[in-house]
Amino acid sequence: VASSLQALGKTRDARAFGALLEGLATRSWDETIAAGAVRGLGALADARALTPLLEAMRPESPEAVRRATAGALAELGTTVEAVRTEVVDAIERALHDKSYLVRTAAFAAAEKLGDKRLLPVLDVLAETEDDGRLRRDAIEAAMRIRDEQKKPAAIAELREEVDRLRAESQTLR
């Protein structure tokens, strides 16, 4: 069910939104179904997904859901420019989560998002994290974001063009 929900989100069909919300509310062992729904919401490339994802990232949410949400937020932030600032803020909060695994997922999400606004917090965490593995994750994420910033703007333009063509193709279908 979790894999199906994730695949449903990858269709980027607006009709999938309701089913993904239902999946998010479905209780299962280790919240596997909810985590699949969260990944589907991230892949949906729909700005409406931001609110349920932010809710899923709340500290009282199960750890498995928060962990999946970090990556889903990064994916949403790369496909929907309108929500990018809120996604950056949410990932920054996730970098300070009480759970080691959520923080690890947040470092990966920060790297995937590649937003330079996360660099100051990553640099601080690279110096102040108690766990050496998390310090290394912070250093590597910051390093990759800086490397990504050096790439020419033409790549970003090509990504935007591909996204536009993808949306146009979806409309034509």
Side-chain angles (χ1 to χ4, degrees):
V1 173
S3 295
S4 297
L5 289 168
Q6 184 175 357
L8 185 61
K10 288 180 181 181
T11 65
R12 292 189 174 182
D13 189 328
R15 297 174 295 176
F17 186 72
L20 292 169
L21 287 181
E22 287 178 27
L24 184 57
T26 304
R27 301 282 67 98
S28 62
W29 180 82
D30 200 26
E31 302 303 329
T32 305
I33 294 174
V38 158
R39 286 190 291 275
L41 283 167
L44 194 57
D46 187 333
R48 295 179 298 166
L50 180 65
T51 301
L53 289 176
L54 292 177
E55 284 294 315
M57 201 67 206
R58 294 171 52 114
E60 57 272 6
S61 295
E63 178 185 312
V65 173
R66 293 194 323 270
R67 203 170 56 233
T69 302
L73 282 166
E75 190 164 356
L76 184 67
T78 59
T79 56
V80 182
E81 190 64 35
V83 300
R84 194 169 177 94
T85 299
E86 292 93 338
V87 167
V88 168
D89 294 342
I91 290 174
E92 185 173 340
R93 286 190 302 275
L95 289 169
H96 299 287
D97 195 278
K98 64 182 184 226
S99 166
Y100 170 83
L101 293 175
V102 173
R103 289 196 340 252
T104 300
F107 285 119
E111 187 176 319
K112 180 177 184 169
L113 188 61
D115 197 295
K116 63 184 176 184
R117 292 175 284 184
L118 291 168
L119 287 173
V121 72
L122 289 171
D123 289 340
V124 167
L125 291 172
E127 297 291 326
T128 61
E129 272 291 350
D130 293 334
D131 190 306
R133 297 168 295 181
L134 291 174
R135 278 195 308 273
R136 184 191 69 230
D137 287 348
I139 291 167
E140 289 176 358
M143 220 170 48
R144 288 190 179 104
I145 290 172
R146 284 186 175 96
D147 288 345
E148 189 70 26
Q149 298 300 313
K150 294 177 186 173
K151 291 185 179 176
I155 292 175
E157 290 174 14
L158 285 174
R159 285 185 188 145
E160 289 175 11
E161 179 69 14
V162 166
D163 286 341
R164 186 188 62 73
L165 290 172
R166 194 177 285 148
E168 189 176 300
S169 172
Q170 184 71 21
T171 303
L172 290 173
R173 281 190 212 143

